Amino acid sequence: MTNGKFVAYYRVSTAKQGASGLGLEAQREAVRAYLNGGNWQLVAEVVEVESGKRNDRPKLKEAQRLCRLHGATLIIAKLDRLARNVHFVSSLMESGVEFTAVDFPQANRLTIHVLAAVAEHEAAAISARTKAALAAAKARGTKLGGHRGYVPSQEQGAAGRTVQAARAASRADDLAPILAELQEAGVTSFGALARALNERGIPTAKGGAWSPMQVSRVVAKLAA
């Protein structure tokens, strides 16, 4: 049984295929057959006419933006609709968007394993650098040991704040077109904007409902 929100991404390789619908209907049918049953909602369907060899696909980015806005999963009919290289597929996970390929649902798990392997490698590299730094400090006569509690360094704290700020800025960019559309329609107050976002089913970054204060913070980020 399939549950949750989904954004469908369809890709055809030529303008002729896009105009005729050749291959497009087959992708739509595969997606709808996969979603058949359960409590699911297809938030949007995005069609892109592009070569599979290129990675700069604006419609795919739009589909990812919609997924982030609605807390939805990106769904595709075939894995090769995304790309023919593992690096590009794994980059989808780094974008914060979950995806499902109808012809290869296990791709999610495989990608996670790949990312876990990369994280493990990076952790091993950090451990090796730490041990080397401790050995160098000991060789200089620095006394090691003492308090064992973890205390983040200023650099680590700054890095964490930088990551949080980057995520907030990215979220604000995703919301910018929606907020502009609402404001052009006469929805201008923070309270009215919050109600409009909630009515559209767009959650906050933490998955909750919008408040006027939260909307004001996003608007301030966009203005900055």
Side-chain angles (χ1 to χ4, degrees), residues 199-224:
E199 289 171 358
R200 292 192 178 200
I202 299 174
T204 63
K206 294 184 178 180
W210 288 93
S211 69
M213 179 60 71
Q214 290 169 310
V215 173
S216 70
R217 290 170 182 166
V218 172
V219 172
K221 284 185 177 66
L222 292 172

Side-chain angles (χ1 to χ4, degrees), residues 152-168:
S153 66
Q154 292 183 349
E155 291 80 4
Q156 289 171 322
R161 289 191 294 272
T162 299
V163 170
Q164 290 178 346
R167 288 175 179 171

